[in-house]
Amino acid sequence: MLRKIIKIDRERCNGCGACAQACHESAIAMVDGKAQLMREDYCDGLGDCLPVCPTGAIAFEQREAPAYDEAAVLAAKQAKQRAGEAGGCPGHRAQMLRRSEAPSDAGTAGGPPVSELMQWPVQIRLVPVNAPYLTDAHLLIAADCTAYAYGRFHQDFMRGRIVLIGCPKLDDADYAEKLTQILKAHRIKSLTIVRMEVPCCGGIENAAKTALQASGQFIPWRVVTIATDGRILEM
């Protein structure tokens, strides 16, 4: 059928991943660092992806394409949710991590390193929306590279917080939708977003901000930007 559908200019795409997160139907995914329309029948032609693209790489065109299949989109969402929250992998099961009292020299020069991780899993796509540890949590949403670039990540950012990590350039998940569900379902005390300075990392910041706005919740929040050499640029 002849209908309005998006087209993506791969030459202009900078790989930020914002469009993939904005597409609630998961029609767009990141392939080799560039946005790509994966399923024409998943594209509803409403263009939620257009305004978030920082380079103008996405536009509408009128052409022959399969009709939008809402039933298939809903089925895919339900399958993804079942796989993420009740899937067969035991590593997906939500759990709090019990830790013994840390020694007085933990984390100091010469002392044993101590993990500040309080829960499992940590990947945004795998954390169940109904995980009990999310209620009354101080939430940390971080790009996964930040823990490698910033040496005191556990002590300065993870301590006392529930951690959700992801990479908007490599994942094809809609972080904004999942984060919105989490913020709506739980009392979140504060939100800290930690990202790298690279442009593609803006996707995780945009997803968190979009979710915060869509949730209708008033939550204290801040964004921290880490340089590739490990310095804190903004906070």
Side-chain angles (χ1 to χ4, degrees), residues 110-199:
V114 173
S115 172
E116 298 290 346
L117 185 63
M118 299 196 303
Q119 102 285 345
W120 187 264
V122 296
Q123 288 283 347
I124 295 173
R125 294 195 301 173
L126 300 182
V127 171
V129 171
N130 60 353
Y133 51 67
L134 291 166
T135 299
D136 292 324
H138 293 281
L139 194 61
L140 171 64
I141 300 173
D144 48 17
C145 292
T146 55
Y148 293 92
Y150 186 72
R152 287 182 50 86
F153 192 82
H154 277 247
Q155 300 94 322
D156 292 353
F157 294 113
M158 287 176 55
R159 181 173 294 166
R161 294 188 176 96
I162 295 299
V163 180
L164 306 182
I165 68 170
C167 177
K169 189 167 185 177
L170 299 181
D171 284 345
D172 63 356
D174 184 355
Y175 289 161
E177 182 177 0
K178 179 72 170 285
L179 294 174
T180 299
Q181 293 174 354
I182 289 174
L183 295 181
K184 284 184 174 181
H186 301 274
R187 296 183 302 273
I188 302 298
K189 291 183 176 180
S190 69
L191 176 61
T192 299
I193 306 159
V194 183
R195 55 162 292 182
M196 297 298 297
E197 64 175 328
V198 295

